Amino acid sequence: MVFQNSLEFARQLDALDSLSHFRNEFHLIEGKIYLCGNSLGLQPKAARAAVEQEFFDWQTFGVEGHFDGKNPWFHYHKFLTQKTANMVGALPQEVVVMNNLTVNLHLLMVSFYRPTATRYKIIMEGGAFPSDQYAMETQARFHGLDPDKAIIELMPREGEYTLRTEDIIKTIEENADSLALVMMGGVNYYTGQAFDMKAITEAAHKAGAYAGFDLAHAAGNLLLQLHAWNVDFACWCTYKYLNSGPGGTSGVFIHERNASDTTIPRFGGWWGHDEATRFKMLKGFKPTSTAEGWQLSNAQVFPMAIHNVSLEMFERAGMSNIRAKSELLTGFLEFLLNEVDTKKQFEIITPKNAEDRGCQLSLLFAQNGRATFDKLLENNVIADWREPNVLRMGPAPLYNSFEDMWHTAQAMKSV
Ligand SMILES: *Cc1c(COP(=O)(O)O)cnc(C)c1O
């Protein structure tokens, strides 16, 4: 599409947008343009009633709410399963919602990072989100390994900001004899680069290693096909693109071939135990032969009630429609930002190709980045600042409008 730098053009795009009505289903922040959905998504209006329902059932039924409530808590996580599977391109038996992201990352590594004397290396992206770095580092130490020897961090080429798929694959091939796991983000939180998960998974498998992904910045953002891509496992948080509230619960994917294998070692808890005999309280852990076999505890009903509302919206909008709007919205913002940056004060380091990014644009500043971010706030644009020098903008297709993009560019121009 050929974009135009005008308010009329932005309004035309909004008029043509079949998802524009979803904006009314969110609590927008009065007088502000919110571009921080990649950090904490806005609140769906229906979230409150969903939580109220569970308060009501708790107050009315007490413990009997596990079976007699409107949405029985005993298998509350199952209300989320099909919608989660649709959202990430998985089979229902491959997904479960539980815990929080970093907790799940560790639980999955217990199963899928079991280093031996010869096969012990992890390949990850350099500059990964700190929690992921700490998880990899402490997993290596937990197995008595030196993180500097066990972890290979992929770095961009000299003068580049993002990774080339060919370089990722080359590193995998070069370490084929000693590689245990390739563990990457789906989208890097800093640069906004989306990785070719299909190609990376294929290369990891060829090398005899597992392939896992942290989809914190990819779930609800990219069109994922985790099952078809043969990904071994993945996990994601739900409070960023998935609008499920601060500290919200987390989603997990375990490919069917792994999920059905009850001999895979794991940390067990009663909610992962075979459902038919769970309440017989017998000795001997017998895992459910699906992704639910990795659950430890009973369902976190309150955060899941919010997440269920959000997943229902994604289901109604359709992930492919969301992605189509997202590409257009981000493309429009990119066009407008380049229009107003006449003095070349920043560089957009996010890949230009829509296939290689989600909705986020990362603006690298040589100087005055932090001041620009602060001034934007004064001008009612809530973006996001990441040390040392990147300003991130993440327009969310369910609640940001094309007109928002135009006002954002005007605010950039004025600061
Ligand atoms: C947001 C984010 C996290 C945060 O983890 P929590 O356990 O939910 O606090 C971890 N990893 C990545 C890549 C993230 O983007």
Side-chain angles (χ1 to χ4, degrees), residues 100-103 105 129 131-132 189 214 216-217 237 239-240 248:
N100 289 80
L101 172 54
T102 309
V103 173
L105 196 52
F129 193 87
S131 204
D132 299 49
Y189 83 101
D214 181 329
H217 284 265
C237 53
Y239 48 82
K240 292 173 180 164

Side-chain angles (χ1 to χ4, degrees), residues 331-345:
F332 188 47
L333 178 63
E334 180 183 39
F335 163 79
L336 294 173
L337 288 174
N338 285 327
E339 287 271 301
V340 300
D341 185 29
T342 48
K343 291 192 194 135
K344 297 282 165 255
Q345 305 212 44

Side-chain angles (χ1 to χ4, degrees), residues 187-390:
V187 172
N188 180 268
Y189 83 101
Y190 193 75
T191 63
Q193 178 181 20
F195 298 114
D196 187 340
M197 291 179 246
K198 182 168 183 270
I200 292 169
T201 300
E202 209 176 284
H205 288 171
K206 235 187 234 164
Y210 281 121
F213 294 92
D214 181 329
L215 303 177
H217 284 265
N221 182 15
L222 302 181
L223 207 51
L224 300 167
Q225 290 296 335
L226 299 182
H227 176 82
W229 295 341
N230 248 328
V231 165
D232 285 294
F233 68 93
C235 46
W236 54 92
C237 53
T238 62
Y239 48 82
K240 292 173 180 164
Y241 293 98
L242 292 169
N243 313 316
S244 300
T249 185
S250 164
V252 164
F253 166 88
I254 300 164
H255 198 283
E256 170 180 53
R257 70 175 164 274
N258 302 320
S260 62
D261 183 353
T262 54
T263 67
I264 292 183
R266 69 194 73 190
F267 287 170
W270 70 325
W271 236 248
H273 187 87
D274 171 42
E275 202 177 293
T277 55
R278 184 179 300 156
F279 284 95
K280 294 217 171 14
M281 308 297 196
L282 299 171
K283 254 185 116 57
F285 177 60
K286 198 173 140 211
T288 307
S289 60
T290 67
E292 290 184 10
W294 271 261
Q295 292 175 116
L296 299 182
S297 303
N298 69 96
Q300 301 150 283
V301 168
F302 290 92
M304 285 184 187
I306 302 173
H307 188 40
N308 194 32
V309 163
S310 169
L311 285 171
E312 188 274 326
M313 291 169 80
F314 275 80
E315 184 94 349
R316 247 187 309 130
M319 213 39 237
S320 53
N321 298 328
I322 292 173
R323 177 63 177 157
K325 174 176 176 184
S326 174
E327 286 183 19
L328 205 57
L329 196 64
T330 302
F332 188 47
L333 178 63
E334 180 183 39
F335 163 79
L336 294 173
L337 288 174
N338 285 327
E339 287 271 301
V340 300
D341 185 29
T342 48
K343 291 192 194 135
K344 297 282 165 255
Q345 305 212 44
F346 58 82
E347 182 182 352
I348 299 176
I349 59 170
T350 308
K352 290 187 179 24
N353 187 353
E355 270 177 33
D356 301 328
R357 68 185 186 198
C359 69
Q360 174 184 315
L361 294 178
S362 301
L363 284 55
L364 179 74
F365 284 79
Q367 54 190 5
N368 300 331
R370 176 79 212 196
T372 305
F373 165 76
D374 291 337
K375 285 257 180 63
L376 274 180
L377 258 186
E378 285 169 27
N379 283 268
N380 298 319
V381 175
I382 304 181
D384 163 288
W385 178 251
R386 288 292 125 150
E387 295 294 342
N389 48 16
V390 158

